[in-house]
Amino acid sequence: MKTKTILAAALVGALAFTTTQAQNAPKMKMTTDIPPSITTPDKVETRLGTLKFTDGFPDDATVQKLYDNLDFQRGVQAFLTATPGASMAGMRAGLRKLGAVDGTVAIFETLMDSKSLWLTPNTETVYASTWLDLKNGPVVVESPPNTLGIVDDFWMHYVADMGNAGPDRGKGGKFLFLPPGYTGDVPQGYFVFKSATYGHWLVTRGFLVNGDPKPPVENFKKHLRIYPLAKAANPPQTKFINVSGSEHNTIHGIDFSFYEEVNQVVQEEPNEAMDAETLGLLASIGIEKGKPFAPDARMKKILTEAAAVGNATARAILFKNRDKDFLIYPDGRWQVAFLGGSHEFLKNGVRNLDARTRMFYYATGITPAMAMKMPAGVGSQYALRFVDAEGKPFDGGKNYKVHLPPNVPVKDFWSFLVYDNQTRSELQTDAQFPSMGSQKKGIVINPDTSVDVYFGPTAPAGHEANWVQTVPGKGWNTILRLYGPLESWFDKTWRPSKIELVK
């Protein structure tokens, strides 16, 4: 023990001597005054602890701390940056479980209820969705009239709009999707889109007729067709699976499995489908095309923590965003769903990283039509609400009320839908659909055309028709959707009330 103590003291003395020596190096012929701003002290106090250097050279313990921190930081940034890819991998897994691949379409014939886990879906339109795989060649999609559809690639990059916001202008038409590197003939008579990936998510919506989902379901079954271009002369039958009420999950993981989902995309798709910076970030944590993603125990522990912090950071950005531009009204707490007017989150050539994180953590799918301002009476607008009038999170065990003033500015209809803070999917209650809107049978409209909507664990006496159930012990948030919004929404002369606690 005495020998070890002597050796340790000698090492400390040597270090001290070296440090002193470095600080008091002799003045040489070429010596000049070195600005302190470009030199590293022997000790630096940081959130990582004390970092130690000998004349700028880090000791082994410092190097280990710094690499652990670098791997952790890159893991967190990978979570925030690559969420779209993980989300698409989660979507594909859910669609595969349903069998909605290879020309088979999942359709919600009686709407999507809360048993199906999707990021912020609605309960007012009929969804039809499938996974497109272009690895065997181009694929044709015949889009029905009067629908609203999008196709995104495996990184959730926008590829095409179909239907009302597409080049067919809602009249229906044939769309041809070409895989990466395709050099074959391109026949006439199609809306043609060349993609950077092989995998794609197709989702399209049909609109209720007087509250009835049957007409849009019939429209999909009559007109929606998906088949390989090679079989265009004699296309196979498109199959439909009614998945209303089915239990399935399309939401990406938020633990270590997140990185495994991202790895699926990297391995299956060309590097050219993603920018080099993002691919470099992923490669730095072991996710690289052509190589197994097999982190050792140290790296897996770091990435597990990075996923937890990345997820927590995304939740802070979503629920308590510090960017005032998200506020619809400067003195309120209603927030816009999509910030900036660009589906790439660009403003003056600068990407808003928090806006991108917020969007892809809360929702699935991207299209310019979501970002652009449409003329009055066209498209839809969304107002998000995460806290009550006092800025407190909504408590599923308490009662709340919101007032929509007279002349709600919609050409078509409006709705509230309540989401689970955990899943960002529909809140699971005793009701099949956790929503309330102008199409709801029995809803009470006040004589002046205003509407009061109530949220809480039990129906308020006399207001049962306008009540959305919540769950004690569960947090929730809501979206007010306006379909066919009118000018008083855009000029803000009409605005919903705060969502206030009913005491």
Side-chain angles (χ1 to χ4, degrees):
M1 178 66 74
K2 185 175 181 180
T3 302
K4 291 182 178 179
T5 302
I6 293 172
L7 287 172
L11 287 170
V12 171
L15 178 60
F17 175 78
T18 304
T19 303
T20 302
Q21 187 180 49
Q23 292 173 342
N24 299 301
K27 190 170 185 178
M28 311 301 286
K29 290 182 179 180
M30 298 300 291
T31 298
T32 63
D33 291 334
I34 306 299
S37 62
I38 68 170
T39 62
T40 301
D42 291 348
K43 289 185 179 181
V44 181
E45 300 299 331
T46 73
R47 66 176 59 192
L48 305 179
T50 302
L51 306 180
K52 298 179 180 180
F53 303 85
T54 301
D55 196 25
F57 196 104
D59 69 11
D60 289 346
T62 294
V63 168
Q64 188 63 56
K65 284 181 183 179
L66 292 171
Y67 276 126
D68 286 349
N69 180 60
L70 183 61
D71 290 339
F72 172 73
Q73 286 186 340
R74 286 174 171 169
V76 172
Q77 287 304 315
F79 187 101
L80 299 177
T81 302
T83 294
S87 188
M88 286 291 92
M91 177 62 69
R92 183 178 67 170
L95 292 173
R96 279 180 168 176
K97 183 178 179 180
L98 295 170
V101 294
D102 300 326
T104 297
V105 178
I107 184 168
F108 292 84
E109 294 190 14
T110 52
L111 306 178
M112 188 189 302
D113 65 29
S114 58
K115 287 185 177 181
S116 302
L117 298 178
W118 292 53
L119 292 177
T120 54
N122 71 58
T123 59
E124 290 79 34
T125 61
V126 173
Y127 284 101
S129 186
T130 190
W131 189 259
L132 303 179
D133 189 342
L134 309 185
K135 286 185 177 178
N136 293 322
V139 171
V140 176
V141 177
E142 296 185 16
S143 179
N146 191 31
T147 55
L148 196 61
I150 60 172
V151 173
D152 287 340
D153 75 11
F154 212 163
W155 285 110
M156 212 190 295
H157 295 142
Y158 167 73
V159 177
D161 283 300
M162 300 185 299
N164 297 350
D168 59 308
R169 303 298 185 219
K171 297 178 180 179
K174 293 183 178 181
F175 289 73
L176 178 60
F177 297 94
L178 306 178
Y182 181 75
T183 58
D185 293 334
V186 179
Q188 299 294 313
Y190 296 91
F191 299 108
V192 180
F193 295 88
K194 188 171 184 177
S195 180
T197 69
Y198 295 101
H200 296 79
W201 178 48
L202 182 156
V203 63
T204 182
R205 292 175 290 173
F207 304 99
L208 308 186
V209 177
N210 297 322
D212 186 359
K214 290 182 180 179
V217 170
E218 292 173 355
N219 186 35
F220 279 130
K221 290 186 175 182
K222 182 178 180 180
H223 296 288
L224 180 58
R225 297 288 179 267
I226 300 171
Y227 50 85
L229 176 63
K231 298 183 179 180
N234 186 26
Q237 183 75 21
T238 298
K239 299 177 183 178
F240 293 88
I241 305 172
N242 179 18
V243 295
S244 286
S246 69
E247 297 180 27
H248 63 274
N249 175 42
T250 67
I251 302 173
H252 65 84
I254 56 174
D255 55 11
F256 178 78
S257 66
F258 173 93
Y259 302 105
E260 295 173 317
E261 291 171 325
V262 173
N263 184 57
Q264 293 177 33
V265 189
V266 170
Q267 299 305 328
E268 294 183 32
E269 299 297 350
N271 277 345
E272 292 76 14
M274 179 51 75
D275 64 273
E277 190 77 16
T278 299
L279 291 176
L281 174 64
L282 297 176
S284 74
I285 61 172
I287 300 175
E288 189 171 1
K289 188 172 180 63
K291 297 182 180 180
F293 176 51
D296 59 19
R298 168 192 165 274
M299 193 64 180
K300 186 169 184 178
K301 181 180 179 181
I302 287 174
L303 290 180
T304 298
E305 183 182 3
V309 173
N311 173 64
T313 304
R315 286 180 171 272
I317 292 171
L318 174 62
F319 293 126
K320 297 286 285 187
N321 200 284
R322 59 188 178 181
D323 188 340
K324 301 300 182 184
D325 286 343
F326 278 106
L327 297 178
I328 297 176
Y329 314 104
D331 60 341
R333 300 186 189 277
W334 289 101
Q335 297 186 24
V336 297
F338 205 106
L339 184 65
S342 162
H343 73 287
E344 295 179 307
F345 309 96
L346 295 174
K347 184 178 181 180
N348 299 324
V350 178
R351 178 166 286 115
N352 187 318
L353 299 181
D354 284 359
R356 181 181 66 181
T357 292
R358 181 178 181 268
M359 175 65 188
F360 290 129
Y361 189 77
Y362 193 52
T364 313
I366 197 72
T367 166
M370 297 170 65
M372 66 178 64
K373 182 178 178 180
M374 307 291 282
V378 177
S380 56
Q381 288 287 306
Y382 306 87
L384 281 52
R385 190 84 186 203
F386 301 110
V387 295
D388 66 17
E390 299 177 357
K392 296 179 180 179
F394 293 120
D395 183 338
K398 297 180 179 179
N399 297 301
Y400 301 85
K401 175 185 175 182
V402 64
H403 178 72
L404 300 184
N407 303 313
V408 180
V410 290
K411 180 174 68 69
D412 300 320
F413 60 94
W414 60 265
S415 75
F416 279 103
L417 207 148
V418 173
Y419 298 101
D420 184 330
N421 284 348
Q422 283 281 12
T423 64
R424 292 93 72 208
S425 190
E426 295 178 31
L427 184 68
Q428 295 179 333
T429 69
D430 292 330
Q432 184 179 11
F433 303 112
S435 58
M436 177 60 56
S438 57
Q439 295 187 120
K440 198 87 166 184
K441 292 182 179 180
I443 186 173
V444 175
I445 308 296
N446 298 326
D448 64 354
T449 74
S450 68
V451 187
D452 297 300
V453 176
Y454 299 83
F455 309 88
T458 56
H463 301 290
E464 293 85 355
N466 290 24
W467 166 65
V468 182
Q469 187 179 24
T470 59
V471 182
K474 289 290 298 176
W476 57 275
N477 63 88
T478 190
I479 297 178
L480 169 61
R481 287 177 165 86
L482 304 173
Y483 292 86
L486 302 177
E487 187 57 36
S488 61
W489 169 258
F490 293 107
D491 65 20
K492 301 181 183 179
T493 55
W494 182 96
R495 59 185 287 183
S497 77
K498 301 173 181 178
I499 301 184
E500 297 183 306
L501 185 65
V502 177
K503 299 179 180 179

